[in-house]
Amino acid sequence: MEGPDYVEKPIESQNSHDVEYGKTVSSVDPLLSGDPQHELVELVNMRRNDYYLPVADEEKGPDDFRKPTSEPQNQYEAIRLNSLGRGDRIGPYFADGQRRVDYVLTYHIQKPDTVHRKASHFAENGFMRRLRRSMSMRSSRAPLQPREDPEVEAQEQQSSYHDDDKRFRREEFEKKLLEMGLELEKDEESKIQGIGFLKIHAPWNVLCREAEFLKLKMPTKKVYEVKQGNNIVEKIRLFIHKVTAPLHPNVDSNRPQSVKPLSHPFSREKQHLFDLSDRDSFFASKTRSFIVYEVLKRTRCTKAKHSAGITSLLGSGVYTSAYPMHDGDIAGAQTENNDRKLLYEQWASYSVFYKYQPISLIRKYFGEKVGLYFAWLGVYTQMLIPAAIVGVIVFLYGCATVDDDIPSMEICDPRNNITMCPLCDRACSYWKLSTACGTARASHLFDNPATVFFSIFMALWAVLFMEHWKRRQMRLNYIWDLTGFEEEEDHFRADYELRVMQKKLRQDDANPKEKVKLTCTDRMPAYLTVFVMMAFMITVTFAIVFGVILYRITIKSMLHVSSYPAARSNIRATVKTTAAIINLIAIIILDEIYSAIARWLTKLEVPKTEKSFEERLIFKTFILKFVNAFTPIVYLAFFRGRLVGRPGSYLYVVGSYRMEECAHAGCLMELCIQLCITMLGKQLIQNNLFEIGIPKLKKLLRRRKSEMDSEQEEAHNKTLQRYEKDHLLGPFVGLSPEYMEMIIQFGMVTLFVASFPLAPLFALLNNIIEIRLDAKKFVTELRRPIAVRAKDIGIWYNLLRGLSKVAVIVNAFVISFTSDFIPRLVYQYQYSPDGSMHGFVNHSLSYFNVNDFQEGTAPLQPMNLGYPVKFCRYKDYREPPGNSSQYEFTKEFWAILAARLVFVIVFQNVVMLMSDFIDWLIPDMPKDISLQIHKEKILMVELFMKEERGKWHTAGDHYDPDERTPPPSPNSHSHVQPRWRSDPHANAANR
């Protein structure tokens, strides 16, 4: 049969009532017709609801492409079939109810010029037009003909030009998709006003071609038995799996496999190896959408000024959104069983919060990248259980031993009668040490010998967590057939291609043959902007923290001179709590601002690929959010109380603001309060409340805009098609926000855990809720993401590993410099007369002569103690007044400083050594997985050898593997025939 690839012919629909017999619709490309009037007629008469199906003259191979004919009017001619109905089957299918919708593109509907000026447009400007016309008629005796406003008409023409340009680019892109073998169907009569839908279906030959090109591993007919390991670790794991059987979800894919099919990269030449009995289910829905997405990324529009792919078309508004469809609904009596409904029941429901996640089903529905995130989150949450238990034990130990803590008892004993120096200038008076009894007892809950053990435990816990995740990741790679998978080079981003094209146009005259790419010189202005902006934003964070410091200093002075007794009774708690809340509010606001700025800065750098863009964005966002969250905590832990000076020689900032000092029990209690409020506030407000409240607020606003109540909206949603319902869902913006909040939480748990042993418990409770919140968001509130393949969590693992290393150093400094662990240890073993802690409080306080106050800094209203105050005490190791070197550091200060530095070095090296030993001791890959991978390779070789022997047996000859002749070298001109084992029956027949 001869003729063009695309011909005019009547098309019969799958359903008899959808057929227009005897009608043919010819589609001539408006871009190529050359007749403007004909183009306008075509646009006006274009049908709204149609699909495009390429029709070939003869059956082509799966890898054949549609070739254009020589006649311009038929270059991309396709049959355009009008769909008379929206289909009786409401689901992810074309109007025929048979072909599955694998991907959806949406766009603003192009309106014909005759209906472009709507009545609403006239109603909006009608009053002003009538007024102008009336004034004109009054000023002229002759009636004037009504004319369009030139400004409005120019705006309409400009808008129409942009709409036509977008439509032409859409048509070109869709014809390119037809060339690639995809099948398209349009729906411009949807119930969502102003939105048109382009549904894409990948037929079997396209799926096979792309699966081979992408080297997708698919299961073969060959299955083998999966044997569990015999070592102690595997037996313990199987025992735990049996004991926790009630905690596993009721999902078949989540149960351990006794048999596993061999997987092999798909090949059309070896289709007989694969089980193709059910072609509809051979490629899962997430695989089909991934294949279509890859085709969309490779398809380019070339008639514009520069080559544009789907990313550029989305960015320029040619298409408004692109997404794969969900499998079906999740509720309703008539809802068919599907993976989405199963995920909602067994994963996204709060009633199953105590169960494990169905990771295999998550991967099957959302893809490997999303599956790895939730697998990592599950492992992290699971590992928080022992950390939370140990943290609670440490806290309970502090509660049980608070009455036996000798320093606390000495502070609370009023018989000691220790008068302390004022905490601020003029407004503050002298005070008794016994009034700090509550703070001292509370500090012991977190500052006790058990916290040192807990810090070491958490450092090793972080290493065990990382090793456990690596082994879990290897196991998932084996189960999901990702062994040997290597990420291919990603496609260039649209912004990068545009910049390269602009540079190429500028350099064409100089050296047209030179390959053009963006160099560091081209990006230098962007790099300088990034550096300056990052430094500026970090400075803003420091300035806000400094502002909170000034707030604490000011409010403390104001409360001291307040006339309300209630305000003066609890000054410390009021200042600490309000300052922590202000820090929390600033952190939450700056987090949102920094996220937007980091994305803008990353776009300025014009990264080449999406992977590079994502990594640069993650790095900038992490730096800004980490500094934003931990700057107040670092100040409390390492700087507050150390940049104070001493009575009579205090350090002042911004004129007369005296730097604040810690309470006698140290700054650890304030650090604990700041950590607690920041951690709980970020988790409850920023993570959970925002994730729950913002979708509900958007839904409420959409309902008010549509002027429908909940019942009417529910009834309206039941009439929508699946792709229309998915369009109303929120777009998927990636996993970076989810990972980022967990990374910051991991930093809270590990970095300052010595000051807050309950941090793992709060993180555990938050993650139990977070998993279900994220699950519900992914299943019910977001569009289905592209099933991107990945074998690890990428740059996030490096950030976790870096945080775990930094945590060892930070906790060493917290124990050494923030807590009183080292001073108590030095006093007990070097200065105590009886080897106990009796006398430690008096040993840690220095004397100050009140006559040595600077002018204008002495208390205005000295405390009425019944006797004049000559000396006051302050926490430091300095020489007493009257000494030849008064107020200088004593030898005890230098001894304690040396002990602190020695502890940091010893703690850091011992814990690092233990961590490296654990890392070396535990292999990254489980032994049973390595054996199974080796077994798979052997079985695959046997399968191919069996196939080859079957081929030779069918041909009548048998290849002798023992008499193989090496292949000729490339330089050899002789043709060496292989040696075959002759078939006696064939020889007899020949004779």
Side-chain angles (χ1 to χ4, degrees):
M1 183 176 180
E2 298 179 356
D5 285 347
Y6 297 95
V7 297
E8 294 183 21
K9 61 179 290 187
I11 299 299
E12 297 183 4
S13 174
Q14 297 286 345
N15 302 323
S16 59
H17 61 276
D18 287 343
V19 181
E20 290 184 329
Y21 291 101
K23 292 185 179 182
T24 60
V25 182
S26 176
S27 174
V28 181
D29 187 2
L31 288 171
L32 304 173
S33 62
D35 187 357
Q37 185 175 3
H38 177 70
E39 291 181 25
L40 184 60
V41 173
E42 278 291 324
L43 292 176
V44 174
N45 296 328
M46 186 181 296
R47 293 182 182 251
R48 288 289 183 84
N49 195 358
D50 50 8
Y51 69 80
Y52 304 87
L53 176 64
V55 177
D57 294 335
E58 58 186 10
E59 185 67 19
K60 292 180 177 290
D63 56 342
D64 291 334
F65 292 94
R66 313 291 183 187
K67 298 181 179 180
T69 61
S70 58
E71 298 181 8
Q73 65 270 22
N74 293 326
Q75 185 175 5
Y76 298 111
E77 190 168 349
I79 291 180
R80 189 173 290 166
L81 174 65
N82 184 42
S83 300
L84 297 180
R86 288 167 58 84
D88 298 333
R89 187 173 182 180
I90 299 180
Y93 299 94
F94 274 18
D96 56 16
Q98 301 296 324
R99 289 172 294 170
R100 183 182 182 88
V101 178
D102 298 318
Y103 210 82
V104 177
L105 300 178
T106 66
Y107 54 92
H108 290 297
I109 293 179
Q110 170 69 40
K111 299 176 179 55
D113 189 62
T114 55
V115 295
H116 184 72
R117 302 181 182 93
K118 289 187 176 180
S120 59
H121 181 77
F122 282 112
E124 182 179 355
N125 302 292
F127 175 75
M128 295 302 298
R129 291 178 180 175
R130 287 196 300 269
L131 182 61
R132 286 196 298 267
R133 193 178 303 162
S134 176
M135 296 297 294
S136 300
M137 293 180 68
R138 288 182 183 180
S139 62
S140 176
R141 301 201 174 191
L144 298 177
Q145 295 295 329
R147 292 185 301 173
E148 284 288 339
D149 190 334
E151 183 178 354
V152 174
E153 188 174 1
Q155 292 177 355
E156 290 178 355
Q157 291 178 356
Q158 185 178 7
S159 175
S160 178
Y161 169 77
H162 289 300
D163 290 341
D164 290 343
D165 179 63
K166 292 179 181 178
R167 177 177 54 80
F168 292 153
R169 294 172 69 181
R170 275 200 306 271
E171 289 182 353
E172 182 193 358
F173 185 73
E174 290 162 12
K175 288 165 186 173
K176 296 283 187 180
L177 296 181
L178 290 173
E179 283 187 338
M180 298 295 290
L182 298 178
E183 298 177 5
L184 313 177
E185 180 181 77
K186 278 191 174 182
D187 182 5
E188 295 186 352
E189 296 179 355
S190 67
K191 296 185 178 181
I192 302 178
Q193 296 182 357
I195 298 296
F197 295 88
L198 178 67
K199 297 171 282 185
I200 304 176
H201 168 75
W204 173 255
N205 58 345
V206 174
L207 293 174
C208 294
R209 182 191 73 210
E210 296 298 324
E212 182 176 1
F213 175 73
L214 297 171
K215 301 177 182 179
L216 297 182
K217 276 191 173 183
M218 305 301 295
T220 63
K221 298 177 183 178
K222 177 70 175 178
V223 296
Y224 68 96
E225 183 180 0
V226 178
K227 295 182 179 180
Q228 304 297 335
N230 296 323
N231 55 4
I232 299 177
V233 177
E234 294 303 321
K235 289 182 179 180
I236 294 175
R237 188 179 64 84
L238 290 176
F239 174 76
I240 294 175
H241 191 277
K242 291 180 180 179
V243 172
T244 59
L247 302 180
H248 290 275
N250 298 325
V251 178
D252 292 335
S253 59
N254 204 62
R255 296 170 185 166
Q257 298 176 339
S258 57
V259 294
K260 183 179 183 295
L262 279 176
S263 295
H264 187 265
F266 187 82
S267 172
R268 287 169 292 179
E269 295 180 355
K270 297 181 174 60
Q271 289 192 24
H272 57 280
L273 297 178
F274 304 93
D275 185 8
L276 303 179
S277 57
D278 186 5
R279 291 190 173 187
D280 293 336
S281 61
F282 181 73
F283 292 105
S285 59
K286 60 108 177 174
T287 307
R288 298 174 67 98
S289 62
F290 173 72
I291 288 175
V292 174
Y293 176 67
E294 290 295 323
V295 174
L296 291 176
K297 286 201 301 183
R298 294 203 311 269
T299 306
R300 320 294 295 175
C301 289
T302 57
K303 292 184 180 180
K305 293 181 180 179
H306 62 278
S307 177
I310 184 61
T311 308
S312 300
L313 297 178
L314 288 170
S316 59
V318 176
Y319 292 102
T320 56
S321 60
Y323 54 90
M325 291 171 54
H326 282 291
D327 277 357
D329 293 324
I330 57 177
Q334 299 179 352
T335 303
E336 298 179 356
N337 291 328
N338 56 73
D339 289 341
R340 187 189 184 198
K341 182 179 180 182
L342 189 59
L343 282 172
Y344 180 76
E345 295 172 349
Q346 299 295 327
W347 182 46
S349 176
Y350 292 106
S351 60
V352 294
F353 74 93
Y354 60 92
K355 289 189 175 183
Y356 291 103
Q357 300 181 86
I359 296 299
S360 296
L361 185 60
I362 296 171
R363 173 255 178 180
K364 177 185 175 184
Y365 191 77
F366 292 109
E368 287 78 6
K369 195 169 185 178
V370 176
L372 281 174
Y373 164 71
F374 283 103
W376 173 84
L377 183 57
V379 170
Y380 172 47
T381 305
Q382 186 179 359
M383 288 293 292
L384 281 173
I385 296 176
I389 293 174
V390 176
V392 171
I393 292 174
V394 170
F395 178 75
L396 293 177
Y397 170 81
C399 295
T401 59
V402 67
D403 293 331
D404 300 329
D405 184 47
I406 296 176
S408 299
M409 294 170 61
E410 290 182 349
I411 292 174
C412 296
D413 191 355
R415 294 174 298 180
N416 289 330
N417 196 26
I418 298 176
T419 303
M420 302 296 293
C421 295
L423 296 175
C424 61
D425 292 344
R426 297 174 65 85
C428 302
S429 181
Y430 304 106
W431 56 284
K432 290 292 186 181
L433 182 60
S434 58
T435 58
C437 177
T439 305
R441 291 173 63 86
S443 296
H444 178 74
L445 302 180
F446 307 99
D447 187 7
N448 55 70
T451 57
V452 180
F453 158 76
F454 190 54
S455 299
I456 299 174
F457 170 81
M458 288 303 295
L460 300 180
W461 171 88
V463 178
L464 288 172
F465 163 59
M466 303 299 292
E467 291 301 316
H468 180 34
W469 167 244
K470 283 195 293 186
R471 291 171 62 85
R472 173 66 171 160
Q473 189 172 260
M474 288 296 181
R475 188 174 297 277
L476 291 177
N477 285 341
Y478 161 71
I479 296 174
W480 296 349
D481 296 320
L482 292 173
T483 53
F485 167 72
E486 296 294 338
E487 293 187 8
E488 299 178 358
E489 186 177 357
D490 201 358
H491 297 274
F492 292 165
R493 297 183 67 251
D495 294 342
Y496 179 83
E497 291 181 338
L498 177 60
R499 287 285 299 274
V500 169
M501 180 65 65
Q502 293 173 350
K503 183 178 179 180
K504 185 177 181 180
L505 292 175
R506 293 193 301 265
Q507 295 182 354
D508 272 348
D509 298 335
N511 192 355
K513 295 183 179 181
E514 183 181 358
K515 185 178 180 181
V516 179
K517 63 179 181 179
L518 295 184
T519 62
C520 291
T521 306
D522 299 322
R523 293 190 173 99
M524 189 57 65
Y527 289 156
L528 292 176
T529 304
V530 169
F531 177 78
V532 172
M533 285 298 298
M534 292 283 287
F536 172 74
M537 287 183 286
I538 292 174
T539 305
V540 168
T541 302
F542 291 163
I544 291 176
V545 173
F546 184 71
V548 175
I549 294 172
L550 297 183
Y551 162 80
R552 273 200 292 256
I553 297 171
T554 306
I555 201 68
K556 185 185 296 183
S557 302
M558 293 174 61
L559 291 177
H560 273 290
V561 298
S562 175
S563 58
Y564 295 99
R568 296 195 306 269
S569 61
N570 211 358
I571 295 176
R572 288 183 179 274
T574 303
V575 173
K576 293 174 186 176
T577 306
T578 55
I581 292 174
I582 292 173
N583 273 323
L584 171 64
I585 295 173
I587 288 171
I588 292 175
I589 294 175
L590 289 179
D591 268 356
E592 302 302 321
I593 297 174
Y594 287 168
S595 297
I597 293 178
R599 180 170 291 275
W600 172 67
L601 292 176
T602 308
K603 289 181 179 179
L604 285 182
E605 294 179 346
V606 195
K608 181 183 292 186
T609 62
E610 288 294 338
K611 183 179 180 181
S612 176
F613 179 88
E614 184 180 9
E615 290 180 350
R616 291 167 184 250
L617 176 61
I618 288 171
F619 180 74
K620 293 182 184 63
T621 309
F622 173 75
I623 292 295
L624 293 175
K625 290 195 173 185
F626 184 85
V627 171
N628 183 37
F630 287 97
T631 298
I633 300 172
V634 170
Y635 164 74
L636 289 174
F638 303 123
F639 295 99
R640 184 179 177 182
R642 287 166 181 80
L643 304 175
V644 177
R646 60 169 178 83
S649 180
Y650 284 113
L651 177 65
Y652 293 89
V653 293
V654 194
S656 60
Y657 288 93
R658 191 180 106 186
M659 288 297 292
E660 53 186 348
E661 53 188 300
C662 296
H664 176 76
C667 288
L668 203 65
M669 190 62 198
E670 295 188 32
L671 177 61
C672 176
I673 293 174
Q674 181 68 55
L675 265 171
C676 181
I677 292 179
T678 303
M679 190 172 183
L680 292 179
K682 280 179 65 66
Q683 291 177 353
L684 293 178
I685 298 175
Q686 192 174 20
N687 299 347
N688 297 338
L689 187 61
F690 282 7
E691 290 186 5
I692 297 174
I694 291 179
K696 289 187 178 296
L697 182 62
K698 289 181 179 179
K699 189 176 181 180
L700 179 62
L701 293 175
R702 187 167 62 244
R703 185 183 300 169
R704 292 190 62 181
K705 188 176 180 180
S706 63
E707 299 181 353
M708 291 189 298
D709 56 22
S710 58
E711 295 182 357
Q712 292 175 339
E713 185 179 11
E714 184 178 356
H716 174 70
N717 288 338
K718 290 182 180 179
T719 63
L720 297 178
Q721 296 286 335
R722 177 75 264 153
Y723 52 87
E724 295 171 326
K725 294 178 182 178
D726 288 357
H727 183 264
L728 298 177
L729 300 177
F732 176 72
V733 295
L735 292 170
S736 295
E738 312 297 336
Y739 272 114
M740 189 62 67
E741 65 183 64
M742 289 295 107
I743 294 294
I744 297 298
Q745 184 201 87
F746 182 80
M748 295 279 184
V749 168
T750 56
L751 288 179
F752 295 92
V753 73
S755 61
F756 192 36
L758 295 179
L761 176 63
F762 290 156
L764 173 64
L765 297 177
N766 172 80
N767 287 5
I768 292 175
I769 302 173
E770 180 74 20
I771 288 175
R772 306 304 162 180
L773 274 178
D774 285 348
K776 192 171 184 180
K777 180 173 66 175
F778 271 76
V779 174
T780 64
E781 297 173 1
L782 295 180
R783 297 172 188 163
R784 190 174 181 180
I786 299 295
V788 180
R789 292 187 297 171
K791 62 185 302 183
D792 52 41
I793 60 175
I795 191 175
W796 300 108
Y797 180 82
N798 298 329
L799 293 177
L800 286 169
R801 194 170 184 85
L803 281 177
S804 63
K805 299 292 185 183
V806 174
V808 177
I809 303 173
V810 170
N811 281 298
F813 276 94
V814 168
I815 295 170
S816 218
F817 287 89
T818 308
S819 72
D820 280 340
F821 176 75
I822 298 300
R824 292 184 183 190
L825 209 62
V826 172
Y827 173 79
Q828 184 176 1
Y829 290 101
Q830 188 171 356
Y831 298 106
S832 175
D834 56 358
S836 67
M837 293 302 298
H838 289 285
F840 171 74
V841 174
N842 185 65
H843 180 264
S844 62
L845 295 176
S846 299
Y847 288 89
F848 177 74
N849 191 338
V850 297
N851 295 323
D852 295 336
F853 273 119
Q854 291 180 346
E855 184 178 356
T857 61
L860 292 176
Q861 298 178 350
M863 188 177 183
N864 187 13
L865 302 175
Y867 57 88
V869 177
K870 295 183 179 180
F871 297 96
C872 63
R873 309 290 295 273
Y874 61 99
K875 187 177 181 181
D876 208 344
Y877 294 92
R878 292 181 181 268
E879 297 290 348
N883 194 292
S884 58
S885 55
Q886 65 175 5
Y887 305 135
E888 297 293 332
F889 290 117
T890 62
K891 61 178 182 179
E892 288 87 353
F893 171 83
W894 299 110
I896 291 173
L897 179 61
R900 283 174 166 167
L901 295 176
V902 169
F903 177 83
V904 169
I905 296 174
V906 172
F907 182 90
Q908 174 186 341
N909 286 278
V910 169
V911 175
M912 289 287 189
L913 182 62
M914 296 172 65
S915 302
D916 292 340
F917 176 74
I918 293 175
D919 191 2
W920 170 80
L921 186 65
I922 302 176
D924 293 344
M925 179 177 290
K927 187 176 181 180
D928 63 316
I929 297 300
S930 61
L931 293 176
Q932 297 292 351
I933 293 175
H934 182 66
K935 181 179 179 181
E936 273 195 358
K937 293 180 180 178
I938 296 176
L939 291 175
M940 188 59 67
V941 171
E942 292 179 355
L943 180 63
F944 279 105
M945 293 297 295
K946 182 179 180 181
E947 177 195 0
E948 293 297 325
R949 286 195 296 268
K951 286 183 179 180
W952 301 130
H953 181 73
T954 304
D957 290 320
H958 299 282
Y959 177 66
D960 188 357
D962 297 330
E963 299 181 2
R964 287 179 295 184
T965 303
S969 63
N971 298 327
S972 174
H973 298 282
S974 62
H975 183 69
V976 181
Q977 296 289 341
R979 300 171 66 181
W980 303 91
R981 180 181 296 171
S982 61
D983 189 342
H985 301 285
N987 294 337
N990 291 333
R991 287 193 295 268

